[in-house]
Amino acid sequence: MGRVTERRKVLRIRDGAVSTRPDTLVAEEPLEIRLDGKPLAITMRTPGDDFALAAGFLVSEGVLAGAADVQNIVYCGGATDGGTSLSERSRGRGGGWNTYNVVDVKTAPDVVLPDITLERNVYTTSSCGLCGKASLDAVRTTARWPIADTPPVRVGPELLASLPDRLRAAQRVFDRTGGLHAAALFSEDGELLDVREDVGRHNAVDKLVGRALQSGSLPLSRSVLLVSGRASFELAQKAVMAGIPVLAAVSAPSSLAVDLAAETGLTLVGFLRGSSMNVYAGQDRVALRTSAAQG
């Protein structure tokens, strides 16, 4: 798995029996995202798909809309404080070599940067990608592909109910560590299109969206996004910015996520467990049987 996982020695206690053994942990390292050479944000992430993560992040910020907006994406040599990453410093290493923890996205000459990007220079944790936003209004970036204007997508409860098990079956690193969030894209017919894992659920979504940008698949107007854990405002925003009409989560949504879904026409499903689910917004995309709808 390379830098995705690391091994650590642990003291294991099971039913009174004590032993020492190696344990597999999910790796967490900082990634600094630069835009045209200028520092923009730092996120704690699981290494891998870093270029896609940076591209997806910039889709959410309203900077990128397609592969043609990107001139190139490169790793930069070194990081802060002598070119050493957090994990390198913890091991007593120094120097200015390439830590693969700094990514610079060079935009095409005709790309106009929105004001929100110029104002942002923040540190984000793996669980919160919104820390440091100037205001709630700044987060509500105008979507390039309004969901309300896209062709209608209809998904049945049975199809939605089948998605969490399929996502879980595709989580390769989670099986080894038990410590990763995941996000998956499905077609409206239930076909698994892509799945990404990361220590942060917002990073997993950015990796999905970034890969879609790189392959020329944006907007994702006929897809369903499923996330492990809860559905935050930011995840709803990322779905809207990528043109995704349906966002489902295995846990609860936040009140702001529901408000944003209602405002933008996003279908938001929470507590998707077994055959049970709550539809918080965009109910018209959930194809109910007549009797069920009346009940």
Side-chain angles (χ1 to χ4, degrees):
M1 291 294 180
R3 296 170 66 208
V4 176
T5 61
E6 296 185 6
R7 301 283 278 176
R8 296 289 189 276
K9 185 178 291 187
V10 300
L11 183 69
R12 183 177 183 181
I13 304 173
R14 296 291 186 275
D15 299 322
V18 180
S19 61
T20 301
R21 54 165 291 176
D23 191 30
T24 301
L25 305 177
V26 59
E28 182 177 26
E29 296 184 9
L31 179 70
E32 178 181 324
I33 300 174
R34 297 178 181 176
L35 181 61
D36 293 332
K38 297 180 180 179
L40 179 63
I42 298 175
T43 185
M44 300 302 295
R45 97 302 188 192
T46 301
D49 292 317
D50 290 335
F51 291 178
L53 190 161
F57 175 82
L58 291 174
V59 171
S60 298
E61 292 296 313
V63 178
L64 304 178
D69 292 341
V70 180
Q71 184 168 313
N72 60 41
I73 305 178
V74 298
Y75 283 111
C76 301
T80 58
D81 298 331
T84 309
S85 70
L86 181 65
S87 62
E88 297 285 349
R89 290 200 301 272
S90 69
R91 299 173 194 173
R93 300 177 184 176
W97 57 79
N98 198 329
T99 62
Y100 296 97
N101 283 332
V102 182
V103 168
D104 187 19
V105 180
K106 177 69 174 178
T107 58
D110 58 344
V111 172
V112 178
L113 301 183
D115 291 340
I116 184 174
T117 302
L118 302 178
E119 295 172 357
R120 180 169 180 146
N121 187 352
V122 300
Y123 167 86
T124 67
T125 70
S126 57
S127 61
C128 173
L130 289 179
C131 309
K133 283 288 192 178
S135 66
L136 188 61
D137 290 340
V139 179
R140 297 176 186 269
T141 311
T142 302
R144 295 175 185 267
W145 308 288
I147 293 175
D149 297 341
T150 60
V153 171
R154 300 272 286 173
V155 292
E158 297 81 5
L159 186 148
L160 290 170
S162 71
L163 301 186
D165 286 344
R166 297 177 62 192
L167 170 60
R168 178 67 181 81
Q171 288 185 256
R172 296 186 304 117
V173 182
F174 182 88
D175 286 338
R176 300 184 63 197
T177 65
L180 281 181
H181 288 290
L185 277 176
F186 294 88
S187 71
E188 58 188 312
D189 299 322
E191 176 187 358
L192 178 60
L193 303 175
D194 197 3
V195 59
R196 297 292 105 187
E197 294 177 283
D198 197 276
V199 71
R201 63 175 60 87
H202 66 280
N203 290 336
V205 174
D206 279 340
K207 290 177 178 180
L208 283 179
V209 174
R211 284 164 61 91
L213 178 137
Q214 292 171 326
S215 65
S217 301
L218 291 181
L220 297 166
S221 56
R222 306 204 67 82
S223 61
V224 177
L225 173 62
L226 174 65
V227 296
S228 62
R230 61 187 177 85
S232 64
F233 175 90
E234 186 186 29
L235 295 187
Q237 181 205 14
K238 290 180 184 297
V240 170
M241 293 300 293
I244 299 171
V246 182
L247 169 61
V250 300
S251 192
S254 69
S255 61
L256 281 180
V258 175
D259 290 345
L260 181 63
E263 291 177 10
T264 59
L266 174 70
T267 295
L268 180 58
V269 179
F271 291 109
L272 182 56
R273 302 169 182 174
S275 60
S276 300
M277 66 197 74
N278 293 341
V279 183
Y280 293 88
Q283 291 88 345
D284 56 305
R285 291 196 184 87
V286 180
L288 300 175
R289 296 189 181 94
T290 303
S291 58
Q294 292 175 345

